[in-house]
Amino acid sequence: MSSSSINNKKQRQRSDYPFFLSYRTRWSDNDQYAHINNAVYYQLFDAVINTYLIEHCALDPTKSEQIGLVVSSFCEFFSALSFPDVLDLGLRVTSLGKSSVTYEVGVFKVRSSDTGVSDNLTSDAPTAVGGYTHVFVESTSRKSAAISERMRAGLLELVTQTAVGVSKL
């Protein structure tokens, strides 16, 4: 990824993301360096994306006729997080095609006051920005499938002004 692309992601703000999910870090999220392990970020991306798909796009992972397979992923790290941080995970769609969607997740730390008590203030600067691309396929045959109308309607709610490609198909 180019340095300008990384800098653009670093400049993201909470207002760039239309959907949020809170996450309280766990002791087991830390690695031996006392910060959140890199693999945990991908679990966070998976959690916010699938929560949205289930709650807003009628996805039923056990019964849906189509599923999304991850074909690419990325993460840019800007500052460390550690247990017991509380996070806000922002979600948006940056590209929506006939059978694929690219999500972007901004990870924001909820700041604490000097007293150590959460004051529900959050940082406007992301600590990381990442995401992945889903290609939708038929759940049994794994053949490419157009995104269902219900799924597309929900995903369109996450499309932002900076979306690269959006097909209304």
Side-chain angles (χ1 to χ4, degrees):
M1 225 169 247
S2 71
S3 61
S4 66
S5 176
I6 293 170
N7 285 336
N8 286 340
K9 287 178 179 63
K10 195 173 188 176
Q11 300 304 315
R12 299 281 196 261
Q13 299 289 307
R14 289 180 53 79
S15 59
D16 293 325
Y17 299 91
F19 177 78
F20 281 88
L21 182 70
S22 292
Y23 178 79
R24 180 171 293 282
T25 60
R26 305 165 303 163
W27 177 254
S28 62
D29 292 337
N30 281 356
D31 60 17
Q32 71 255 25
Y33 305 112
H35 63 68
I36 303 300
N37 186 277
N38 295 352
V40 172
Y41 285 86
Y42 287 91
Q43 293 173 354
L44 299 176
F45 303 161
D46 196 54
V48 67
I49 290 167
N50 283 296
T51 296
Y52 186 84
L53 293 176
I54 291 166
E55 293 180 353
H56 299 275
C57 299
L59 177 69
D60 181 341
T62 62
K63 297 178 185 168
S64 292
E65 293 181 13
Q66 65 177 210
I67 58 172
L69 300 178
V70 175
V71 296
S72 67
S73 62
F74 71 96
C75 188
E76 303 294 339
F77 301 96
F78 307 124
S79 60
L81 295 169
S82 183
F83 175 81
D85 290 339
V86 176
L87 312 176
D88 278 339
L89 309 172
L91 178 62
R92 69 188 197 155
V93 165
T94 60
S95 181
L96 181 59
K98 182 178 177 184
S99 63
S100 67
V101 58
T102 300
Y103 311 94
E104 183 182 285
V105 178
V107 179
F108 297 88
K109 180 179 177 181
V110 176
R111 297 184 303 206
S112 297
S113 66
D114 292 338
T115 63
V117 176
S118 175
D119 57 13
N120 293 324
L121 296 174
T122 57
S123 173
D124 274 335
T127 61
V129 172
Y132 53 77
T133 299
H134 263 158
V135 171
F136 284 87
V137 298
E138 295 174 358
S139 60
T140 53
S141 71
R142 299 297 201 255
K143 291 183 180 179
S144 182
I147 297 171
S148 71
E149 289 182 32
R150 175 74 171 101
M151 180 80 66
R152 179 170 295 284
L155 292 171
L156 282 169
E157 296 295 319
L158 294 177
V159 173
T160 62
Q161 292 178 341
T162 59
V164 184
V166 175
S167 169
K168 300 285 182 183
L169 299 174

